Amino acid sequence: MTDVQTHADPAAPALEDSPETAIVHACDPESVSAAPLEARSSARTSRLIGIDVARGLALMGMMVIHILPAADAGGNITTAWSLSAGKSAALFAVVAGVGIALSTGRREHLVGRRWVGAAASLVVRALLIGTLGLLLGRVVSGESAAVILPYYALLFIGAIPLLRVPARWLAVLTLVLAFATPVLSHLWRETTVLPETYNPTFDNLLSEPGSVLAALLLNGEYPVMAWITYICAGLAIGRCKLFSRSVVGGLLVLGIGLAVAARGASWWLLEHAGGRAALEAAAPGSMTSTELSDVLVFGADGVLPTTSPWWLAVGTPHTTTPFDLLFTIGVACAVLCTMILLGRAVGYVLWPIAAAGSMTLTLYTAHLLLLDVPFMPDSATAMYAVHLVGLLFFAMLWRRDFARGPLEEVVRALSGSTGRWVAKHAPFIRQRSGAADVS
């Protein structure tokens, strides 16, 4: 859930809306845009419409997970679930990192006033998104959906130090985090009794703040400790020349290669290096053989047991192992780059999905609120169609007159103005960003 712009710095002392900025989104550190989607005809905008398309596809995939069944009548994983599980949420997070990069200097890392301003903007954005997530926790049952927004709030906070990392080191840091954070989480959870996961509310936060923080960091469906890897990967991608067809094509090949390598390595470790046998031996201490089989096919809910180090070799959805992280990063990179290339060629065809992708905070919130309303069809397929058609129709109508969604506008206004004010008035901070003076 990110912003797509040609150049927008939330921390710059004087930031003006530009007619050449591309599609915007509220979950990013700064969203600036001067016209609705169909009014933007510049080449630079059309080349980046694919980022909003990717975000729209991520929203559609998360709706699949919330509504459609994982298995068919024969117990086999469905195609829709296979395409969406783990990948759609990861795509959201990776594109969030891309948006942060594009809106904070693109290829430059931040220091000085610009970093302080960007940090302030991210903090405000995190507070607003986290507040919305905690409010949704009161009305959205854990059985219906795991609300991702409280996790996102912490991910935006975690992105603040990454803004200072030079672009050439972000890819290296992504690989380090992909291997290190799951191992550290495994070791930490091995010696710690963690609370059950649920959709947290303000009541939970006030009565048991430590438990809520532990659940969000370590054992929720989107554990922040490991998921910061997605933000780092997105920052690395966003620092690249995404207006260059050759660069985007190279990233597409890289993403496919990373996904294939990660999935292949996990398969070899489990099937040929003794991993599956070790897990079957360790499973009685934590789960039944049927539950183990389900984990190895359908995935988990964020983390795995700690009864064996071989759990780290699993690569199925939402297991948050090194191979799950690297596989979904590769898929996210490939999908994003494919959509950028398609956006350059046939952006008008993809406009409905891009319109939805430009206001996913609004549409995701509406989708969650609609999950438990009594007048929805009994058929899961029909219910998904109602959500999809209704939200796409709203997005297209809204974008005819407005540049961003209603929730996006509120978040953008508050976080953007805070970031600019802090960057302008921060005392004793030198005004440099990387090698370029603040303009």
Side-chain angles (χ1 to χ4, degrees):
M1 299 193 296
T2 60
D3 184 270
V4 183
Q5 304 162 340
T6 60
H7 182 72
D9 187 350
L15 177 64
E16 301 294 338
D17 286 2
S18 167
E20 294 186 356
T21 55
I23 306 169
V24 298
H25 189 262
C27 286
D28 306 318
E30 172 70 351
S31 300
V32 289
S33 178
L37 180 64
E38 63 263 53
R40 301 174 197 165
S41 59
S42 71
R44 295 172 77 83
T45 296
S46 65
R47 290 173 186 172
L48 283 185
I49 189 177
I51 300 181
D52 263 347
V53 176
R55 193 186 303 110
L57 292 175
L59 173 65
M60 294 163 61
M62 294 189 75
M63 290 163 54
V64 166
I65 302 304
H66 295 160
I67 298 175
L68 298 181
D72 58 23
N76 301 310
I77 189 169
T78 63
T79 300
W81 183 275
S82 180
L83 291 174
S84 303
K87 306 174 189 69
S88 53
L91 179 58
F92 258 137
V94 170
V95 179
V98 173
I100 293 172
L102 292 176
S103 58
T104 55
R106 292 166 56 190
R107 304 199 68 196
E108 299 175 357
H109 66 286
L110 302 185
V111 296
R113 289 181 183 270
R114 294 178 69 185
W115 179 78
V116 173
S121 179
L122 281 170
V123 168
V124 173
R125 194 164 296 269
L127 290 173
L128 294 172
I129 291 173
T131 296
L132 178 59
L134 294 174
L135 292 173
L136 288 171
R138 292 190 62 88
V139 295
V140 179
S141 66
E143 291 77 18
S144 298
V147 180
I148 199 173
L149 298 182
Y151 301 88
Y152 254 62
L154 292 183
L155 286 174
F156 283 125
I157 298 298
I160 291 173
L162 296 177
L163 297 179
R164 300 179 67 92
V165 179
R168 62 183 178 274
W169 290 108
L170 286 169
V172 175
L173 182 58
T174 297
L175 292 176
V176 172
L177 290 173
F179 283 99
T181 55
V183 173
L184 292 174
S185 174
H186 181 94
L187 295 174
W188 193 348
R189 289 181 290 110
E190 197 172 26
T191 59
T192 305
V193 178
L194 293 172
E196 294 185 4
T197 59
Y198 52 88
N199 287 332
T201 66
F202 276 109
D203 293 340
N204 301 134
L205 185 62
L206 294 174
S207 62
E208 45 187 7
S211 294
V212 171
L213 184 61
L216 295 177
L217 287 175
L218 288 171
N219 71 325
E221 189 155 352
Y222 317 101
V224 171
M225 181 175 178
W227 273 57
I228 194 65
T229 308
Y230 291 128
I231 298 296
C232 189
L235 279 167
I237 295 170
R239 298 294 189 215
C240 298
K241 296 179 179 179
L242 296 182
F243 291 111
S244 167
R245 183 181 286 107
S246 61
V247 170
V248 174
L251 287 172
L252 171 60
V253 174
L254 178 64
I256 294 173
L258 181 61
V260 171
R263 182 53 57 88
S266 174
W267 172 81
W268 185 86
L269 287 170
L270 291 175
E271 304 299 334
H272 294 279
R276 180 182 288 271
L279 292 179
E280 290 173 347
S286 56
M287 62 179 62
T288 66
S289 59
T290 301
E291 290 172 336
L292 172 61
S293 178
D294 286 345
V295 167
L296 297 180
V297 175
F298 296 98
D301 293 325
V303 292
L304 293 170
T306 57
T307 52
S308 169
W310 281 104
W311 286 114
L312 292 169
V314 175
T316 47
H318 285 296
T319 50
T320 319
T321 65
F323 301 104
D324 174 37
L325 291 174
L326 292 174
F327 173 74
T328 48
I329 287 172
V331 170
C333 182
V335 170
L336 173 62
C337 292
T338 299
M339 294 305 107
I340 290 175
L341 294 174
L342 286 176
R344 294 172 58 123
V346 290
Y348 60 93
V349 175
L350 301 173
W351 178 68
I353 302 176
S358 71
M359 59 180 74
T360 47
L361 181 62
T362 295
L363 299 187
Y364 176 77
T365 301
H367 159 67
L368 292 180
L369 293 175
L370 288 172
L371 283 176
D372 294 320
V373 297
F375 54 80
M376 282 292 167
D378 293 332
S379 166
T381 302
M383 182 178 178
Y384 182 80
V386 170
H387 280 241
L388 180 62
V389 174
L391 296 181
L392 285 177
F393 185 68
F394 171 82
M396 289 187 290
L397 284 180
W398 188 269
R399 285 304 300 271
R400 290 177 61 87
D401 298 310
F402 302 98
R404 53 187 67 85
L407 292 181
E408 283 77 0
E409 181 61 45
V410 173
V411 175
R412 178 254 180 188
L414 294 176
S415 62
S417 59
T418 299
R420 288 189 293 270
W421 187 91
V422 170
K424 183 176 181 180
H425 296 92
F428 313 117
I429 303 293
R430 56 194 178 92
Q431 298 189 46
R432 291 188 66 82
S433 174
D437 288 332
V438 174
S439 57

